[in-house]
Amino acid sequence: MPQRPDINRRILLAARPQGQPTARDFRLEEAAVPTPGEGQVLLRTLYLSLDPYMRNLMDEAGTSYAPGVRLGEPMVGGTVSRVVASQHPRWRVGELVLGQAGWQDYALSDGTDLTALGDIAPPSLALGGLGMPGFTAYVGLLDIGQPKPGETVVVGAATGAVGSVVGQIARLMGARVVGIAGGPDKCRYATEVLGFDACLDHREPALAARLAEACPGGIDVYFENVGGALFDAVLPQLNHHARVPVCGVIAQYNDAAPPPGPDRLPQVMATLLQRRIRMQGFIILDHYAGRFEAFRADMGRWLAEGHMTLREDRVDGLEHAPAAFIGLLQGRNFGKLVVQVAGD
Ligand SMILES: NC(=O)c1ccc[n+]([C@@H]2O[C@H](COP(=O)([O-])OP(=O)(O)OC[C@H]3O[C@@H](n4cnc5c(N)ncnc54)[C@H](OP(=O)(O)O)[C@@H]3O)[C@@H](O)[C@H]2O)c1
């Protein structure tokens, strides 16, 4: 759809999804481009990040760290934007910023949620490997997972924004890395491009048996991105003193009710206890003050030295954001999912 510079296209939450979101849960609305008041800037969205946590924010309850999006309000999301008008002493027209403009062409900001972007190229990396997902991989793996040389690290959603970085950092730490991903193309990419030692397709049968074959010495670190069937396959294969950073459980985000079948909690508790396993959840927002600077320094170096491959799955056009987001929850993205909202 050709875009008019005087119109702000916004994608609103139209309905709360029952299970898997559908196109009907979103609505595209056209509004006037807002005018910044005193102390405000007008942002033009260039790139919009699409991330799994947005599914939780479509529910009324939201999450422990953010309220649910209200019906009729624009979907929230991290963005790279250009300042196109400013009534703010700190922000100049033309500056490139990281912010939270959400699923829309234009947004106002009072500047408190903005970070100046230096010369990151392409700027969308600030939403991926050099931003929140890369930082999540870094903190979860190094601070909680603490892989040692020779240990075996397993990670699910292995070619995604977080998982691909987890596996590459684990390799840099001298660990053996076994990824789990959806489909043969992703698995081939994990081993041939990302340098993982093995990658298993979770859509194929007998995942637990194939995992045992790929991890003959057991699993020392399981970076949990997925939950569900992946966790069930991993749990019996965790070694004594294994570490399990619990980053996300994307397989459960659409579940309205607990999964059918027997209650597995007693088995989980007994395994954690008897094998002295440390399992720790974390929310990356808690770690910016203490760890972001170290992350940017290490990640910048790894990239410059050619140790890190960051794949982006770029979708062209804001109007395609709902379909791309629905696809993210079905494994259709291949790499960090970003919407190019406008050319720069
Ligand atoms: N704790 C935090 O602060 C924090 C911060 C950022 C992200 N996260 C979490 O990290 C995880 C990865 O996020 P990401 O941004 O890197 O996303 P991503 O991996 O780029 O994309 C999501 C991937 O999850 C997999 N997936 C989706 N539904 C699935 C299902 N039902 N069963 C198995 N796999 C499924 C798919 O990969 P395959 O096709 O390979 O299965 C899909 O491509 C998510 O759980 C997210 O919530 C947590």
Side-chain angles (χ1 to χ4, degrees):
M1 170 191 322
Q3 205 192 322
R4 284 176 44 189
D6 58 332
I7 286 184
N8 185 20
R9 294 171 311 159
R10 320 160 80 203
I11 295 179
L12 315 179
L13 179 64
R16 302 218 180 267
Q18 307 298 315
Q20 175 76 33
T22 71
R24 284 186 301 279
D25 299 325
F26 304 92
R27 186 173 71 242
L28 193 150
E29 175 196 83
E30 295 190 343
V33 175
T35 307
E38 192 58 36
Q40 289 185 320
V41 296
L42 177 64
L43 303 172
R44 174 74 176 101
T45 310
L46 303 181
Y47 300 100
L48 164 68
S49 180
L50 294 181
D51 299 277
Y53 73 85
M54 293 166 174
R55 173 63 186 86
N56 302 115
L57 299 191
M58 294 176 83
D59 293 334
E60 191 168 5
T63 66
S64 66
Y65 53 89
V69 175
R70 285 190 302 195
L71 288 175
E73 290 291 315
M75 288 288 294
V76 298
T79 48
V80 168
S81 305
R82 186 74 69 187
V83 177
V84 289
S86 179
Q87 298 276 5
H88 193 292
R90 159 68 186 83
W91 300 101
R92 283 173 293 105
V93 169
E95 277 192 89
L96 198 60
V97 295
L98 181 67
Q100 289 289 327
W103 297 29
Q104 51 187 343
D105 286 316
Y106 294 92
L108 293 176
S109 166
D110 64 4
T112 50
D113 59 344
L114 302 183
T115 307
L117 285 180
D119 50 4
I120 293 178
S124 53
L125 276 188
L127 302 171
L130 279 176
M132 185 278 281
F135 184 41
T136 300
Y138 181 90
V139 167
L141 183 70
L142 294 181
D143 296 5
I144 302 173
Q146 301 181 13
K148 319 265 178 315
E151 286 189 334
T152 295
V153 173
V154 172
V155 60
T159 61
V162 175
S164 63
V165 177
V166 167
Q168 291 178 89
I169 298 177
R171 290 283 295 133
L172 287 167
M173 298 299 124
R176 261 191 90 239
V177 178
V178 176
I180 303 175
D185 291 346
K186 289 184 177 181
C187 284
R188 202 173 313 112
Y189 174 80
T191 52
E192 292 178 5
V193 180
L194 300 179
F196 290 16
D197 297 278
C199 186
L200 311 174
D201 183 351
H202 66 79
R203 296 194 197 138
E204 293 290 322
L207 177 64
R210 288 181 289 124
L211 190 61
E213 221 171 278
C215 305
I219 298 168
D220 301 295
V221 178
Y222 173 52
F223 193 102
E224 177 64 288
N225 274 333
V226 177
L230 269 63
F231 181 76
D232 290 345
V234 166
L235 182 71
Q237 308 191 39
L238 289 172
N239 286 334
H240 283 228
H241 301 288
R243 286 82 65 200
V244 181
V246 181
C247 174
V249 284
I250 193 167
Q252 298 169 203
Y253 294 168
N254 285 323
D255 290 351
D263 178 5
R264 278 160 293 186
L265 190 60
Q267 186 208 350
V268 173
M269 297 293 271
T271 307
L272 297 187
L273 170 66
Q274 285 160 23
R275 299 197 201 154
R276 293 89 160 160
I277 292 164
R278 180 145 37 89
M279 194 168 180
Q280 186 183 329
F282 70 105
I283 298 296
I284 197 57
L285 296 173
D286 301 341
H287 299 272
Y288 276 83
R291 295 289 278 147
F292 195 68
E293 223 171 284
F295 159 69
R296 283 302 301 273
D298 282 338
M299 194 57 155
R301 195 180 64 253
W302 292 329
L303 271 172
E305 291 172 355
H307 294 313
M308 199 58 68
T309 299
L310 300 175
R311 178 178 177 131
E312 209 170 66
D313 185 339
R314 200 180 284 188
V315 172
D316 195 19
L318 180 66
E319 65 276 20
H320 299 304
F325 178 68
I326 291 166
L328 175 85
L329 298 169
Q330 298 169 345
R332 286 211 298 268
N333 64 307
F334 193 165
K336 168 63 197 140
L337 187 57
V338 172
V339 180
Q340 176 138 30
V341 178
D344 192 20

